[in-house]
Amino acid sequence: VAGVARRGLLVRQLVLPGGLAGTAGVAAFVAQPSPDTHFNLMAQYHPCHHARGYPPLDRRLSRQEYEVARAAALAAGLRRGFA
């Protein structure tokens, strides 16, 4: 079946505002053993409940912040995945 994972590893990274998720470090760690690891960057962070009182978690992710995370994954050598 097309689009269904049969084996391997998929890492999903939620990109947070202000770089709080440390995506560059996570990408470097994941790429170290295998740059062929599927690396999914998730940009759907949405502030709720008490997050509104904790900047920068009080806002959604900007397009620029997502692009910085994507560039970090590419710079780490990851070449499969993204979103």
Side-chain angles (χ1 to χ4, degrees):
V1 175
V4 174
R6 297 187 187 277
R7 63 187 169 110
L9 176 65
L10 167 65
V11 176
R12 300 184 79 202
Q13 171 74 6
L14 178 62
V15 183
L16 295 174
L20 292 179
T23 300
V26 172
F29 177 80
V30 170
Q32 188 176 21
S34 176
D36 288 323
T37 299
H38 289 272
F39 192 72
N40 177 239
L41 289 175
M42 300 183 300
Q44 63 263 49
Y45 173 76
H46 177 78
C48 15
H49 199 48
H50 293 293
R52 297 211 182 268
Y54 297 94
L57 294 175
D58 61 345
R59 61 178 177 80
R60 296 190 69 122
L61 185 70
S62 72
R63 169 73 115 183
Q64 182 181 7
E65 288 170 319
Y66 176 81
E67 291 303 326
V68 167
R70 187 175 187 280
L74 289 169
L78 293 169
R79 52 185 175 256
R80 299 178 86 181
F82 310 118

